[in-house]
Each structure stands twice: as C-alpha cells, then as structure tokens.
Amino acid sequence: MEALNVSFVPSPHIPATPAKVIRRSQFLHFHFSSIPSSLVQSHDRNKSSSKILTALSSSVSTETLDPTEPALETDSQQETFDWYAQWYPIMPVCDLDKRVPHAKKVIGLDLVVWWDRNDSEWKVFDDTCPHRLAPLSEGRIDQWGRLQCVYHGWCFNGSGDCKFIPQAPPDGPPVHTFKKACVAAYPTTVQNDIVWFWPNSSPEYKDILSSKKPPYIAELDDPSYIKTMGNREFPFGYEILIENLVDPAHVPYAHFKLLPVKLDREGGAPIDITINKLDIEGFHASRFGGITNFMAPCVYKSAFSLPSKKGNEPQRRGLLLFFCVPVGPGKSRLIYTFPRNFGVWLDRIMPRWVFHLSQNRILDSDLYLLHLEERKIMEVGPTNWQKACFVPTKSDAQVVAFRRWLKTYSGGQINWGGKFSGALPPTPPKEQLMDRYRSHVVNCSSCSLAYKSLNAVEVALQVISFGSIGVVAATKQNAMSAAARTSLVLMAVLCFAASRWLAHFIYKNFHFHDYDHALL
C-alpha cells in the first residue's frame, strides 16, 4: 500500500494482526504490527469480523477473571513472586558505548554498566564507590581497562575487586585487598543483544546463569530476521506500562491520526481476548487468532504469521517483543523490537533514528494520560485496582490478567525491598514530563548521533547565512555584479529560513511535542 511510506511506523502498543488485515496493507508495517480489524473503519470491520472479532458472549468481572476461563487453573496461591530472583534487561548493546560507564536504575537499584575489555564482557556493579559513596558511573575506564572512581581514583577490576588506592602508601598494609574495598558485582550476561543482570550480588548467585537463564527469544538470534531495537524511559511505573502494552482497545483513540490505517474513533467494536493460563510465571492469551505471552516479570511477546506470497517462499513470521523494566515508583523503561523474516530491506537502508521519530510520536501521544492515571490509582491504592476500575468487556482481559497476577503473587504491587516509601514523584511541567531528549535521545546511539549532526547542520546554515550577508556588506558596490550580490542575499535568506525550519524540526522531534487530542 502506497500510504505506508518509510517514514511512518505504527504503534508499539498494537497487538498481533489477523492475516487478512495484513494482506490489505501488503507490506505490513515494517516495525510494528498492523491494526486489528476491530480498529479499522467500520465498513472494513463488517466484512471480516466473523472469524476475527465476535460479539461478547461473556464479560470480564471487575473483581476477578471469568471463573469459567482456563486462567483459573493456576498453581498454588501461596506462592510469592521473588522480584530479586529474576533476570532483568538493562539496555540493548547497540545503545551502550564501550568507552564510558553508564548509570542505570533497575528494580530500585542504582547500577553502573561498563565494558571490561580485559574479559571482553559487559559488567554491572553497584553504582557506589566503597570509599566515600561517589557514583562510579561518573568515573572512567583507565588505560588498564579498570573502572576508576573519578572522586579519588580508586580502581576496580571486572570482579569488583579494588586493585589500586592512590592514597595508600606502597610500603603500607594492602588495604585495597580488604573486603570493604570491593564493589558489589552482579551476575551479568548478554542475550539476544541485550544486557541482562541478576539483582543479587551474594556469592551463592555467582553461577546463577548455569541454572536459570533470561527468557530466550530464538528469532532475535535468527539471521533471517531483522530486529531493530529501541528504548524509552517513562514517567510512570512498570504496572501502567504493561497495562498499556497489553491493551489493544485504546489504539484508535489515544493514537488517532498517528497510524497509516484510518481508524473509527466514533465506533469501536468488541475485541475477543481469552486468557488460557495464568500462574506465577505469567499468563498466555489468545486474541485476533494469535497467541500472546507475558513472561514475568519483564517480557511480553505476541507472535503472528502470514501466508507466503509465493508457494515456494518460507512462511512470513513476526513477533512483537516488549521488555518492560521496573525502574522505581513512577518510573519504567521499555526496550522494544519487532523481529520479522519479511520486508527486511527497509531496515537495511534506513537509519534507526528515522524509525524512532514515528515511534516516539506514538509513545508520547498517551504518555500524559498514563502519568495522570497512575496517580489516580495510587490515591485508591494499587491493591484496590480491581475495585476502582470498571473493566466489563473482554477487550480488557489481558489488563485484568496482569493485575490478577500481580495481586495473587505479589500483593498487588512490586516489592521494592523497602527502598521506597511508596509515594510517587511530583508531576513536573508537561514540557519536562514529555521531554524526549532525556527519556530517549541520550540513551539511543542512533538518535544521539542524528541530534548532534542535525544541530551541526543548523549551525552551518546560520554561518553560511550570516557569512553571505557579511560578504555583501563588506564588498564595494562596483566590485561585485548585481546578479552575484542578489544571489548571495537570496542564499543568505534561504539558509536562514532552512536553519529556522531545522531548529523547529529538532525541537519537535528530539525534545518536546505536545498533543491536544480534542483538536485532532
């Protein structure tokens, strides 16, 4: 379909797509899935809804899931989910610079992620120097490949052992070998091109990778699949992030006019979602003829397949993958990728930052709503979610399933290990709340490079503009022809106008873009 041009990418909130709808759009959205039939124009919906979306024959209770659904076949209700005995994704490798340490927060822990060139591995430490508690993420990697604290120069190897204290006399006691001089080093691995860590530095977990591994996604290591990644920080919590990702019904409303398929904001339709299983490991659901899976605590996966265009071609397959990271109360991180084995040419010719422009527009279009929603939930208490929220239709089945999982196995909320009081950070001005630069650009290698390059072009255009005017002003009237003078003035005007347009483009796409849904 011609309307699906390379500059547009559908929403990361959208679920897997029925084959018929995908055929309608021919190429099907290079990074994100296409729109479910129930969300397309009403006349399209009436043609194909018989098998994909049905009228509701039952509803989802506001208190619990429908007791007739297989989701009630759960394991022991006495089990408690251990938030500190899980693997957590931190960042895609493509967005980490090996030359510098990186400050990250996950599950309430302040971490420093750095590349140990001696072991050729990414390492994750507690972001605290044992000397005077300065953040190691503000330090550097020295010429011997050690992590050096910038405050007093203490140096640590890849195991967290202190190897050098500049202030200690060489003929004195080897204080750098004392246990209190070491930094807590967490078990770390790279899987599917993402750095993962285990949030417990006790020696008993040193070899945890041999007994328990992060969720493995085979398609991300399949060379026939394309898998461009992105990441984004959000000013709302992990719970709200997952709720939003598993909810297809909000798409035609919250993301109106941001998708390549015309949506019916006036109508909508029932969406038939069934929870097949719910236990301490997460839940499985069926929707739009496909299967989705929440793998606690971080991974949400939705698979889809398409018929081959030619009989001798392999079946076209794809996944929607969301890695949802709890950062702290009111803060979360999303790592997303959409591997597929068809239409791979687009990713190979377009820079990653171009796709991120559209993706960020979609992510921002409901960011403010979700931030305020979380505060209303906190007013009634997260354990009272199912009493406060009215969720009577099956379109909310996955949202209810996630809240039920959270209530059943974790008392309705994340266990932060007593590090937080439970209060959310205050709401800043909207421009600060939705600032893309801090939430994405500085954490994305592709967008960061594009931002610097575009700013350099803006400055160059201004220099050319003012330089041209200066040349005209400094040149005597009879030393330059009227045509040359006019050309220089015209070039100055055009360059200045282009610099102003580029400045607006940079601000709108790399800093802040507001949304007034009432006027769309």
Side-chain angles (χ1 to χ4, degrees), residues 20-21 24 35-55 252-253 261-271 288:
K20 183 170 183 178
V21 178
R24 289 181 65 249
I35 313 302
S37 309
S38 63
L39 307 179
V40 185
Q41 292 176 291
S42 57
H43 71 274
D44 289 329
R45 183 175 63 241
N46 293 335
K47 294 179 181 179
S48 58
S49 61
S50 60
K51 290 187 178 180
I52 300 172
L53 301 172
T54 60
Y253 307 99
V261 178
K262 186 176 181 181
L263 304 177
D264 181 9
R265 194 162 63 164
E266 305 302 327
I271 302 176
F288 310 123

Side-chain angles (χ1 to χ4, degrees), residues 257-459:
K257 287 189 177 181
L258 293 177
L259 304 174
V261 178
K262 186 176 181 181
L263 304 177
D264 181 9
R265 194 162 63 164
E266 305 302 327
I271 302 176
D272 192 1
I273 302 175
T274 300
I275 306 302
N276 301 318
K277 180 183 179 182
L278 188 153
D279 57 26
I280 197 170
E281 302 295 330
F283 64 79
H284 297 261
S286 302
R287 58 176 181 165
F288 310 123
I291 300 296
T292 63
N293 185 11
F294 166 61
M295 294 176 277
C298 296
V299 182
Y300 178 71
K301 178 178 73 170
S302 181
F304 63 90
S305 60
L306 309 174
S308 301
K309 290 184 177 180
K310 299 178 181 178
N312 59 347
E313 289 183 347
Q315 187 175 31
R316 296 180 293 167
R317 300 180 183 275
L319 293 176
L320 282 78
L321 284 173
F322 303 108
F323 301 89
C324 307
V325 185
V327 174
K331 295 181 180 180
S332 59
R333 181 181 307 119
L334 175 66
I335 300 170
Y336 56 88
T337 181
F338 305 93
R340 65 185 189 282
N341 64 357
F342 60 95
V344 300
W345 62 271
L346 185 64
D347 297 66
R348 292 173 178 165
I349 64 172
M350 294 296 293
R352 193 161 59 111
W353 69 270
V354 173
F355 295 116
H356 288 178
L357 297 183
S358 295
Q359 293 162 5
N360 278 319
R361 280 197 292 271
I362 295 164
L363 290 169
D364 279 346
S365 61
D366 58 8
L367 185 153
Y368 191 62
L369 311 176
L370 300 173
H371 177 82
L372 297 182
E373 173 188 321
E374 181 174 39
R375 275 140 181 79
K376 294 181 182 296
I377 291 175
M378 290 302 294
E379 288 176 3
V380 300
T383 58
N384 293 321
W385 180 90
Q386 287 169 303
K387 294 181 180 179
C389 297
F390 182 51
V391 282
T393 70
K394 295 190 76 173
S395 66
D396 288 314
Q398 290 193 118
V399 178
V400 176
F402 169 69
R403 283 291 178 174
R404 177 172 182 176
W405 173 85
L406 196 62
K407 182 176 181 179
T408 302
Y409 301 107
S410 190
Q413 54 193 334
I414 295 175
N415 174 15
W416 298 107
K419 291 186 289 295
F420 303 105
S421 63
L424 294 175
T427 298
K430 197 173 184 181
E431 187 169 350
Q432 180 181 341
L433 184 75
M434 298 175 63
D435 177 38
R436 289 184 190 171
Y437 183 78
R438 293 295 174 191
S439 63
H440 173 73
V441 176
V442 295
N443 298 314
C444 173
S445 60
S446 181
C447 289
S448 181
L449 179 60
Y451 179 77
K452 294 175 183 177
S453 300
L454 291 173
N455 274 288
V457 172
E458 180 194 350
V459 172

